[in-house]
Short mmCIF file of all heavy atoms in Angstrom, two decimals:
data_model
loop_
_atom_site.label_atom_id
_atom_site.label_comp_id
_atom_site.label_asym_id
_atom_site.label_seq_id
_atom_site.Cartn_x
_atom_site.Cartn_y
_atom_site.Cartn_z
N THR A 110 103.85 136.63 96.82
CA THR A 110 104.39 136.48 98.17
C THR A 110 103.87 135.23 98.85
O THR A 110 102.62 134.99 98.85
CB THR A 110 104.00 137.71 99.02
OG1 THR A 110 104.46 138.88 98.37
CG2 THR A 110 104.56 137.61 100.37
N ARG A 111 104.76 134.47 99.42
CA ARG A 111 104.39 133.26 100.12
C ARG A 111 104.06 133.63 101.59
O ARG A 111 104.64 134.64 102.09
CB ARG A 111 105.52 132.25 100.11
CG ARG A 111 105.84 131.72 98.75
CD ARG A 111 106.97 130.75 98.72
NE ARG A 111 106.56 129.54 99.42
CZ ARG A 111 106.11 128.41 98.85
NH1 ARG A 111 105.91 128.41 97.61
NH2 ARG A 111 105.78 127.39 99.58
N TRP A 112 103.18 132.95 102.20
CA TRP A 112 102.95 133.12 103.62
C TRP A 112 102.68 131.74 104.24
O TRP A 112 102.52 130.72 103.59
CB TRP A 112 101.86 134.11 103.92
CG TRP A 112 100.42 133.70 103.55
CD1 TRP A 112 99.54 132.95 104.34
CD2 TRP A 112 99.72 133.95 102.39
NE1 TRP A 112 98.42 132.76 103.68
CE2 TRP A 112 98.41 133.39 102.47
CE3 TRP A 112 100.02 134.70 101.17
CZ2 TRP A 112 97.49 133.50 101.41
CZ3 TRP A 112 99.06 134.73 100.20
CH2 TRP A 112 97.81 134.21 100.37
N ASP A 113 102.70 131.71 105.58
CA ASP A 113 102.60 130.47 106.30
C ASP A 113 101.16 129.99 106.38
O ASP A 113 100.35 130.61 107.05
CB ASP A 113 103.17 130.69 107.70
CG ASP A 113 103.12 129.43 108.59
OD1 ASP A 113 102.81 128.34 108.07
OD2 ASP A 113 103.54 129.53 109.79
N VAL A 114 100.84 128.97 105.68
CA VAL A 114 99.44 128.47 105.61
C VAL A 114 99.08 127.77 106.95
O VAL A 114 97.92 127.52 107.11
CB VAL A 114 99.24 127.51 104.38
CG1 VAL A 114 99.38 128.28 103.07
CG2 VAL A 114 100.09 126.31 104.46
N ALA A 115 100.05 127.45 107.72
CA ALA A 115 99.76 126.88 109.02
C ALA A 115 99.36 127.91 110.06
O ALA A 115 98.85 127.58 111.16
CB ALA A 115 100.98 126.10 109.50
N ASP A 116 99.51 129.14 109.73
CA ASP A 116 99.19 130.30 110.61
C ASP A 116 97.76 130.69 110.33
O ASP A 116 97.40 131.41 109.40
CB ASP A 116 100.15 131.44 110.35
CG ASP A 116 99.93 132.61 111.31
OD1 ASP A 116 98.84 132.71 111.91
OD2 ASP A 116 100.83 133.50 111.42
N GLY A 117 96.83 130.23 111.14
CA GLY A 117 95.43 130.48 110.94
C GLY A 117 95.07 131.93 110.97
O GLY A 117 94.20 132.42 110.15
N ASP A 118 95.79 132.74 111.83
CA ASP A 118 95.56 134.17 111.83
C ASP A 118 95.88 134.82 110.54
O ASP A 118 95.20 135.72 110.01
CB ASP A 118 96.30 134.85 113.02
CG ASP A 118 95.72 134.45 114.38
OD1 ASP A 118 94.54 134.11 114.44
OD2 ASP A 118 96.43 134.46 115.35
N GLU A 119 97.03 134.37 109.98
CA GLU A 119 97.46 134.91 108.67
C GLU A 119 96.46 134.54 107.56
O GLU A 119 96.10 135.36 106.64
CB GLU A 119 98.86 134.40 108.31
CG GLU A 119 99.43 134.97 107.06
CD GLU A 119 99.90 136.45 107.22
OE1 GLU A 119 99.79 137.03 108.32
OE2 GLU A 119 100.31 137.01 106.17
N MET A 120 96.03 133.31 107.62
CA MET A 120 94.98 132.87 106.60
C MET A 120 93.74 133.70 106.74
O MET A 120 93.15 134.11 105.69
CB MET A 120 94.71 131.36 106.78
CG MET A 120 95.91 130.45 106.56
SD MET A 120 96.36 130.43 104.84
CE MET A 120 95.33 129.11 104.33
N ARG A 121 93.31 133.96 107.94
CA ARG A 121 92.05 134.71 108.15
C ARG A 121 92.21 136.17 107.70
O ARG A 121 91.34 136.82 107.23
CB ARG A 121 91.65 134.67 109.58
CG ARG A 121 91.01 133.35 109.97
CD ARG A 121 90.64 133.29 111.49
NE ARG A 121 90.20 132.00 111.87
CZ ARG A 121 91.02 130.91 112.16
NH1 ARG A 121 92.33 131.10 112.17
NH2 ARG A 121 90.49 129.79 112.48
N ARG A 122 93.48 136.65 107.84
CA ARG A 122 93.74 138.07 107.41
C ARG A 122 93.79 138.14 105.92
O ARG A 122 93.23 139.13 105.33
CB ARG A 122 95.06 138.55 108.01
CG ARG A 122 95.40 139.98 107.77
CD ARG A 122 96.66 140.46 108.32
NE ARG A 122 97.91 139.94 107.76
CZ ARG A 122 98.36 140.35 106.60
NH1 ARG A 122 97.76 141.31 105.91
NH2 ARG A 122 99.48 139.85 106.15
#
Side-chain angles (χ1 to χ4, degrees):
T110 303
R111 296 180 67 94
W112 70 85
D113 183 3
V114 297
D116 183 341
D118 291 336
E119 184 74 2
M120 296 290 274
R121 285 178 186 84
R122 185 177 72 75

